[in-house]
Amino acid sequence: MRGSISKSKYILKILKSWSHLDVDAIILWWSKETVAVVTGGNRGIGLEICRQLAAHGVTVILTSRDPGAGLESIKFLSEVGLSLIYHQLDILDLSSINRFIEWLKENYGGLDILVNNAGINFNLGSDNSVENARKVVETNYYGTKSMIEAMIPLMKPSVVGARIVNVSSRLGRLNGRRNRISNAALREQLSDVESLSEELINTALSTFLRQVDDGTWASGGWPQVYTDYSLSKLAVNAYTRLMARKLSDRQEHEKIFVNCYCPGWVKTALTGYAGNNTVEEGADTGVWLALLSHQPITGKFFAERREINF
């Protein structure tokens, strides 16, 4: 009896936290058997996403490139009463990804939720160096892309659909008022989801990186603030829409819903702790998307639990 009361209070707490939604439409579909993988989970928004998912009762696999940092984060969460699993994962290392695939298959048979949080940024404040542009693009876009490609075959059949959540940024918006690429023809091509392709995304990034190498990027029409980070997130946003289209014809019970979201300007190491939002606020929409019951919502971009334009 006491356990039932405790569980009811826990469910009520969840529903109150989602109070702006229609409570009657919410189905708590997840359980301890639900497996969520979070990349870059050892600090900042990734760590908070892990914490919130675990607090909801999901089995969370926290991954990080550095085992020491990851295990320290697991220890920290255990001290607040949460039990998570750790596994090393470098999203830029194919052998690391393959080891993780085999371990995941052997121990859990797959996953239900993938949160692509791992990312880097070297520019703070008014600084806009592109010295690390190649590393930023490789990590934020190609690393995310590699994880999606690797995890799709392992996503478990489900009546509510598996979920992929990509942590992105408004800085990567195609048609935002600030910081957009000035090439109108390229913007139009990237806006057309029906003709969008990996080749188009890759070509745009390759052109930018080539201009970085030859020193002409500043006149190439690219964003003038957080340039490399913005382009890497623009690519993530485009790839989110592309994968949503590609996955849309999957059979029932094999559906995979893929969305991206902007956590806002969060006080983390990525922003030099100069943000306006807390990590709790930054993680909220990502967790909401991961656990959303009234699917199908796919190929969309969100912030503060509301859809925004690409």
Side-chain angles (χ1 to χ4, degrees):
M1 182 70 175
R2 191 171 296 172
S4 297
I5 293 173
S6 177
K7 184 176 181 181
S8 297
K9 287 182 177 179
Y10 175 67
I11 292 173
L12 183 60
K13 182 179 179 181
I14 294 173
L15 295 180
K16 284 182 177 178
S17 74
W18 290 4
S19 58
H20 66 288
L21 297 176
D22 179 3
V23 172
D24 293 332
I26 296 174
I27 302 171
L28 304 182
W29 60 268
W30 64 89
S31 71
K32 195 64 178 176
E33 301 302 311
T34 305
V35 177
V37 172
V38 181
T39 67
N42 60 292
R43 67 177 185 176
I45 295 170
L47 179 60
E48 179 60 20
I49 288 173
C50 288
R51 188 193 69 78
Q52 291 188 24
L53 286 173
H56 280 297
V58 172
T59 291
V60 178
I61 302 171
L62 183 158
T63 72
S64 68
R65 184 180 55 185
D66 178 1
L71 290 170
E72 187 65 28
S73 297
I74 292 287
K75 180 182 177 183
F76 163 75
L77 292 172
S78 71
E79 291 172 352
V80 296
L82 297 173
S83 178
L84 292 84
I85 298 94
Y86 176 75
H87 198 281
Q88 190 277 339
L89 177 63
D90 183 346
I91 63 172
L92 293 182
D93 183 347
L94 184 57
S95 62
S96 176
I97 293 175
N98 287 335
R99 285 193 299 271
F100 180 70
I101 288 172
E102 294 307 313
W103 175 86
L104 186 61
K105 286 194 296 187
E106 181 178 347
N107 290 275
Y108 295 95
L111 72 161
D112 304 275
I113 298 166
L114 170 64
V115 181
N116 286 304
N117 167 75
I120 56 174
N121 170 45
F122 291 91
N123 292 329
L124 299 174
S126 59
D127 179 28
N128 192 42
S129 167
V130 293
E131 180 182 352
N132 297 289
R134 192 169 297 277
K135 187 173 183 179
V136 170
V137 168
E138 286 177 352
T139 302
N140 296 355
Y141 172 62
Y142 288 105
T144 293
K145 180 173 175 290
S146 294
M147 279 302 297
I148 291 174
E149 292 172 348
M151 293 297 107
I152 282 177
L154 298 183
M155 304 205 85
K156 297 178 180 179
S158 167
V159 294
V160 296
R163 289 98 193 279
I164 299 174
V165 179
N166 298 323
V167 181
S168 190
S169 173
R170 288 184 180 91
L171 288 171
R173 293 176 68 186
L174 275 170
N175 295 300
R177 293 180 181 178
R178 300 186 304 117
N179 215 41
R180 65 182 181 181
I181 54 178
S182 62
N183 185 328
L186 179 58
R187 287 205 314 273
E188 184 176 351
Q189 287 179 300
L190 291 168
S191 297
D192 185 356
V193 69
E194 295 306 318
S195 62
L196 191 59
S197 66
E198 288 184 41
E199 181 181 6
L200 176 62
I201 300 169
N202 294 344
T203 297
L205 291 174
S206 296
T207 300
F208 165 65
L209 292 175
R210 185 174 63 251
Q211 292 179 354
V212 167
D213 290 340
D214 64 26
T216 63
W217 71 271
S219 60
W222 310 109
Q224 297 298 298
V225 180
Y226 294 93
T227 303
D228 50 11
Y229 181 82
S230 298
L231 281 171
S232 71
K233 293 304 186 178
L234 183 152
V236 168
N237 293 346
Y239 190 69
T240 297
R241 299 169 72 218
L242 174 62
M243 290 310 298
R245 188 192 78 205
K246 287 186 174 182
L247 296 169
S248 63
D249 60 355
R250 291 174 71 96
Q251 299 297 315
E252 290 298 324
H253 296 192
E254 294 184 358
K255 295 290 186 183
I256 300 175
F257 304 108
V258 51
N259 295 286
C260 56
Y261 89 101
C262 175
W265 196 241
V266 182
K267 298 174 184 177
T268 67
L270 196 73
T271 65
Y273 299 97
N276 299 318
N277 297 342
T278 65
V279 288
E280 291 83 2
E281 292 167 334
D284 176 76
T285 298
V287 174
W288 173 73
L289 279 171
L291 300 181
L292 195 62
S293 297
H294 53 287
Q295 297 280 13
I297 294 176
T298 192
K300 305 297 183 181
F301 190 15
F302 290 86
E304 291 87 43
R305 299 192 185 187
R306 292 184 291 271
E307 184 180 347
I308 61 176
N309 294 328
F310 282 93

